[in-house]
Amino acid sequence: MPELISVIVPIYHVEKYLQQCIESIQNQTYRNLEIILVDDGSDDKCPEICDYYAGNDPRIKVIHKENGGIDSARKAGIMAATGKYVGYVDGDDWIEPEMYEELLEYVHKYDVEVVESGVIDSWSDVEKKRVPYIQEGCYKGEEFIEKVEPRILYAGIFFRHGVFVYLCTKLLLREKVMKYQMISDLTNIIQNDTMVSLPCITETKSLYITHNCYYHYRVRTDSDKRKSKADEVPNFIECYPEFFSRFRGTLLCTDGDKQIMYYAMFYLLEKTPYAFDNLENGDFLVPFGNLKVQDKIVIYGAGATGIHLENYIRSIKETNIVCWADQNYKHLQDSLNVCAPKEITTCNFDYVIIAILRENMYKSAKEDLVVLGVPEDKILWIEQKYIDNPELLLRKVVYQEKTLI
C-alpha cells in the first residue's frame, strides 16, 4: 500500500471558503489521504459542512470540539492522525491538485524527512507566487548545517526567512512534527507555525526545498493575523526564552547568531508597533525615527503591518493620519479605508511611513513615492541602526517592568 498522508484542517468561521478547501484536498492526484477536519467550536455552518463531506468520503474524519484556537485544533488533528506523513491546510485556503503527490515524490527521491514548497498569495482576482529564499535542493547533515541553519529564520535581508515558517507549505514526518506540535505552552499558542515547523526542521536536518508553488493562501483583511490582541507584548516577553530552547544545539543559539533577535524584531514590528514606544517620555513610533504625536502622517501599505500600525496610531489622542494608501487599494476598499498612492500628493503631511517589512518591497515603494513627487526626507522606514543591530530596538521593549532582553 502507498504511504498514508494525514491532512489536518483546523476550521473556525470559514463557511464561505470551506467547500473549496475540502474539495481541493479530496481532488488530490495522490489518493491515499486521511483528511481530518477539526471543527474548532465554529458556530456557523462549518460543522454541518464537515459532516456532509464526511458522509460522502470515507477518507474524511471529523472532530467537533470546543473552541480553543488554531494550536488546539492542530493538536486534536495530529492526535487523531495515523499517516506516516502529515500536511496542514487552513480552512479558508486551498491547494493545487498535485501538491501531495509531488511533495511525496521529493521525499522518496531525496530520502528526506521534510519537504518545503512555495506559496501563492491569492486575492479575489489576483495571485502572486512566493518561494523560499534558500535555493531549491536537498540539504542534509553537514550541508544543512552549513547552508540552511545560518539563514533558516533570518536570511540576511530584512525581512526574509530562509525557509517559510508555515506548516501548510510542507510535508513532514508525523512522528517528528508531533514532538513540537504537542508541546502545551503559551509559545505554541502565539507562535503556532514558527516554533513548531522550524525546530522540527533543524532537528531532522533533512530537508528538500522546491520552488514549485502549490498552496493558495487566501489574503483576507479580517483574518486573525490582522487582528490586534491586547496581551501580545506580555505574551511575547514570556515566550521569548523558549524560542532559544527550541533551537538548542543549533547555530541559532550561539552568541554570534542574531536570527532569533531579528525574528523578534520583525514579529513585534508587524504585530505591535507600540511595543517600542514610551509615550510618557515622548517616544512615539521609535523604529521609524521617533516622531511627534502631532505630526501629520501618511501610512503607505495596508497589509498586516499597515493594519496594525493604523490601529495603533488612531488609538492615541491628537494623532493625525491624513492618508492611508496601498497599491492594491482596489482589492481593499470594501473592508479598509485606503486610497490610491497618487492621492498622497494631494495631502498636507509631515511624513510618509512605509508599513512594509520586506526590504526589497520597501525600496520599490520608496522609488514609487519619489516618482510621485514625495520628498525623500519625508519618507520613513525602520532606522538603519536597528536593521544593523536588532538588540538596540529590542531593549526598548518593556511591559510592567518586565523587559524582553
Side-chain angles (χ1 to χ4, degrees):
M1 288 289 292
E3 291 136 325
L4 181 66
I5 297 175
S6 298
V7 183
I8 298 168
V9 187
I11 295 164
Y12 185 72
H13 285 179
V14 289
E15 65 176 44
K16 184 177 176 181
Y17 315 109
L18 188 53
Q19 178 180 345
Q20 183 180 20
C21 173
I22 295 172
E23 291 182 1
S24 75
I25 304 170
Q26 285 181 303
N27 294 332
Q28 289 291 291
T29 54
Y30 189 81
R31 304 299 299 168
N32 195 27
L33 302 178
E34 175 183 60
I35 306 169
I36 303 174
L37 307 179
V38 185
D39 161 34
D40 190 35
S42 194
D43 56 6
D44 55 7
K45 293 182 180 178
C46 287
E48 291 90 340
I49 295 171
C50 292
D51 291 339
Y52 170 80
Y53 279 96
N56 291 279
D57 190 335
R59 299 176 300 169
I60 295 179
K61 298 179 181 179
V62 179
I63 299 171
H64 296 291
K65 60 182 286 297
E66 291 184 2
N67 179 250
I70 191 169
D71 178 63
S72 172
R74 286 172 172 171
K75 280 178 167 59
I78 204 165
M79 286 297 291
T82 61
K84 182 177 181 180
Y85 298 96
V86 64
Y88 296 82
V89 181
D90 288 344
D92 52 351
D93 298 332
W94 74 100
I95 56 178
E96 290 292 306
E98 68 279 6
M99 177 169 178
Y100 289 120
E101 180 177 12
E102 295 192 4
L103 293 187
L104 190 59
E105 285 178 359
Y106 290 123
V107 166
H108 292 153
K109 182 176 181 180
Y110 296 99
D111 188 26
V112 292
E113 297 183 358
V114 181
V115 179
E116 160 79 318
S117 63
V119 65
I120 307 165
D121 293 326
S122 299
W123 288 263
S124 57
D125 58 352
V126 177
E127 292 189 335
K128 183 178 180 181
K129 292 183 178 181
R130 286 186 288 133
V131 299
Y133 182 79
I134 295 174
Q135 291 184 343
E136 286 187 304
C138 181
Y139 301 91
K140 293 195 289 188
E142 289 301 319
E143 189 170 16
F144 179 93
I145 294 171
E146 178 186 343
K147 296 182 179 179
V148 177
E149 237 173 58
R151 54 186 64 87
I152 187 169
L153 193 54
Y154 175 64
I157 299 174
F158 201 85
F159 193 88
R160 290 288 300 267
H161 305 286
V163 174
F164 288 144
V165 302
Y166 322 124
L167 283 163
C168 295
T169 56
K170 299 169 178 61
L171 186 65
L172 310 103
L173 269 176
R174 178 172 58 89
E175 65 180 36
K176 297 293 186 179
V177 74
M178 195 172 207
K179 172 182 175 180
Y180 295 99
Q181 184 74 81
M182 291 309 298
I183 297 173
S184 294
D185 66 9
L186 184 61
T187 304
N188 269 29
I189 293 173
I190 72 166
Q191 301 287 319
N192 47 65
D193 277 274
T194 309
M195 295 300 156
V196 174
S197 65
L198 298 193
C200 174
I201 292 172
T202 55
E203 181 175 306
T204 61
K205 291 179 172 53
S206 177
L207 172 69
Y208 184 80
I209 296 174
T210 173
H211 286 185
N212 291 337
C213 299
Y214 308 100
Y215 190 92
H216 289 262
Y217 166 68
R218 191 186 303 274
V219 181
R220 296 169 50 199
T221 58
D222 62 343
S223 70
D224 281 344
K225 181 181 179 183
R226 289 161 168 77
K227 292 179 181 177
S228 299
K229 299 177 178 64
D231 57 358
E232 198 83 59
V233 173
N235 285 349
F236 196 87
I237 290 173
E238 181 179 340
C239 292
Y240 187 66
E242 177 65 17
F243 297 174
F244 292 88
S245 69
R246 296 208 183 191
F247 290 104
R248 187 176 290 119
T250 72
L251 179 68
L252 282 77
C253 292
T254 60
D255 289 340
D257 189 272
K258 294 184 178 180
Q259 289 187 76
I260 294 176
M261 282 190 179
Y262 274 110
Y263 174 76
M265 185 170 80
F266 161 72
Y267 183 89
L268 292 170
L269 279 167
E270 180 185 62
K271 299 277 190 177
T272 61
Y274 55 85
F276 314 99
D277 291 357
N278 185 334
L279 294 175
E280 292 182 0
N281 294 340
D283 296 334
F284 176 57
L285 296 176
V286 167
F288 303 98
N290 202 358
L291 280 64
K292 297 176 183 176
V293 170
Q294 297 81 10
D295 286 334
K296 295 184 286 294
I297 295 169
V298 172
I299 297 175
Y300 187 89
T305 304
I307 289 173
H308 287 297
L309 184 63
E310 194 264 356
N311 287 340
Y312 167 49
I313 295 173
R314 288 204 188 280
S315 72
I316 300 171
K317 292 181 180 180
E318 299 181 25
T319 57
N320 188 3
I321 299 175
V322 297
C323 179
W324 188 11
D326 192 285
Q327 280 192 333
N328 294 317
Y329 69 98
K330 291 181 180 179
H331 306 291
L332 300 170
Q333 284 179 324
D334 290 342
S335 55
L336 299 175
N337 185 27
V338 295
C339 63
K342 65 182 181 180
E343 293 189 30
I344 294 173
T345 57
T346 67
C347 301
N348 178 22
F349 60 87
D350 293 308
Y351 299 106
V352 178
I353 298 177
I354 299 181
I356 299 170
L357 296 185
R358 290 274 291 276
E359 189 166 353
N360 63 326
M361 294 176 68
Y362 148 70
K363 289 179 179 178
S364 176
K366 183 177 181 179
E367 290 175 2
D368 291 342
L369 289 169
V370 170
V371 169
L372 283 174
V374 178
E376 282 196 56
D377 61 350
K378 290 193 173 188
I379 301 173
L380 304 179
W381 194 56
I382 310 158
E383 288 201 301
Q384 188 61 44
K385 63 183 178 182
Y386 301 130
I387 300 292
D388 295 337
N389 184 5
E391 186 175 353
L392 295 175
L393 193 57
L394 295 181
R395 289 200 176 277
K396 299 179 183 295
V397 180
V398 181
Y399 182 83
Q400 294 184 351
E401 299 185 354
K402 291 183 178 179
T403 59
L404 182 68
I405 59 174

